[in-house]
């Protein structure tokens, strides 16, 4: 049981701890590893570009193998990196078992590599402090209007390997009523299949022009623009997803990733 500490001492201790952690952040920075999984053609690669507002598109055509890229940022002197892992959408590969295996084998290989590094005879303190244990979050994409049995079979295979955030793709193709019903269906099916998620489903619209101002960024149609970052819109929750991944939820995602790794190493 915790004991109360003198208020003045408690304040000094708290301030000291915060300064030490900030010093460590300045020295080593922080990072996140994001994996995109789901059906083909739902905008997995495009979302990466929208999250970080820079063109991160890979080779033209469908993604037929796991592709990795790392982007680096300088946040007022604090280094931050994001490792982005794009996976083939099911439907791009004829063999669903191979699609499943590509993702799960990658996740297991990350754990195995981390375990080998941990057991290495020669490892510096910096390597230990900055060790990347694996994927911090899986963004699982649902195609609009439909959630199939294969989605939940895939999610069951992924569960326990990394935290999962469901993404309802192409929000601009659903009416408000359709989106509300679809979101409710996905939540109910996730509970039915006992699939734990790190965040409730988020609906997104990805912009095609990343150079536009935030209040006009989105997709252009003859009838008008579908804004990707419209405040308060249930169709355009990209800002909420970005904030959860990079600000509010980063620490909890890393803690959950650590728990998954510890389960693997046991």
């Amino acid at each position: 049981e915790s004991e109360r500490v003198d208020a003045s001492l408690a304040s000094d201790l708290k301030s000291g701890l915060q300064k030490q952690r900030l010093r460590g952040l300045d020295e080593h920075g922080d990072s996140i590893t994001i994996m995109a999984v789901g059906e083909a053609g739902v905008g997995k690669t495009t979302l990466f570009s929208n999250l970080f507002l820079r063109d991160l598109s890979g080779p033209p055509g469908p993604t037929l193998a796991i592709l990795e890229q790392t982007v680096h940022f300088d946040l007022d002197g604090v280094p931050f990196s994001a490792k982005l892992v794009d996976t083939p959408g099911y439907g791009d590969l004829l063999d669903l078992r191979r699609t499943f295996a590509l993702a799960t084998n990658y996740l297991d290989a990350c754990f195995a590599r981390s375990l080998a590094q941990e057991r290495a005879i020669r490892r510096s303190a910096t390597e230990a402090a900055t060790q990347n244990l694996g994927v911090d979050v899986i963004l699982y994409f649902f195609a609009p209007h439909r959630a199939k049995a294969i989605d939940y079979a895939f999610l069951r295979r992924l569960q326990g390997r990394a935290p999962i955030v469901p993404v309802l793709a192409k929000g601009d193709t659903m009416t408000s009523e359709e989106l509300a019903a679809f979101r409710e269906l996905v939540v109910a099916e996730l509970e039915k299949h006992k699939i734990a998620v790190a965040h409730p489903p988020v609906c997104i619209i990805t912009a095609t022009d990343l150079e536009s101002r935030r209040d006009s960024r989105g997709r252009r149609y003859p009838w008008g623009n579908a804004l990707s970052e419209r405040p308060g819109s249930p169709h355009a929750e990209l800002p909420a997803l970005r904030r959860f991944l990079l600000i509010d939820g980063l620490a909890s995602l890393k803690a959950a990733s650590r728990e998954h790794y510890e389960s693997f190493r046991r």
Side-chain angles (χ1 to χ4, degrees), residues 170-190:
K170 299 187 176 181
D172 49 324
T173 67
M174 293 180 278
T175 66
S176 296
E177 293 75 16
E178 289 171 339
L179 173 57
F182 185 50
R183 194 190 301 267
E184 186 176 328
L185 171 65
V186 170
V187 169
E189 289 296 310
L190 289 169

Side-chain angles (χ1 to χ4, degrees), residues 45-94:
T45 306
T46 308
L47 176 61
F48 286 152
S49 297
N50 276 250
L51 277 174
F52 297 101
L53 299 178
R54 62 172 65 181
D55 184 8
L56 299 172
S57 55
T63 303
L64 299 178
I66 288 182
L67 300 177
E68 299 176 337
Q69 61 177 316
T70 302
V71 290
H72 300 276
F73 305 90
D74 185 323
L75 309 178
D76 292 331
V78 176
F80 185 86
S81 64
K83 184 176 182 179
L84 310 175
V85 184
D86 199 1
T87 64
Y90 70 77
D92 280 339
L93 298 179
L94 296 178

Side-chain angles (χ1 to χ4, degrees), residues 90-162:
Y90 70 77
D92 280 339
L93 298 179
L94 296 178
D95 188 348
L96 286 174
R97 287 176 298 179
R98 184 179 172 223
T99 304
F100 284 17
L102 278 173
T104 55
N105 289 348
Y106 178 89
L107 292 163
D108 291 343
C110 287
F111 285 154
R113 185 166 56 248
S114 296
L115 185 59
Q117 291 172 351
E118 183 182 323
R119 292 174 173 173
I121 296 175
R122 294 182 178 179
R123 186 170 69 146
S124 69
T126 300
E127 288 173 330
T130 60
Q131 182 182 8
N132 188 340
L133 299 177
V135 171
D136 295 310
V137 62
I138 296 170
L139 301 181
Y140 190 90
F141 286 68
F142 287 90
H145 303 284
R146 62 185 188 271
K148 300 183 287 297
I150 188 174
D151 287 311
Y152 301 104
F154 206 164
L155 283 163
R156 284 196 298 271
R157 294 283 296 274
L158 296 170
Q159 186 166 234
R161 290 178 162 96

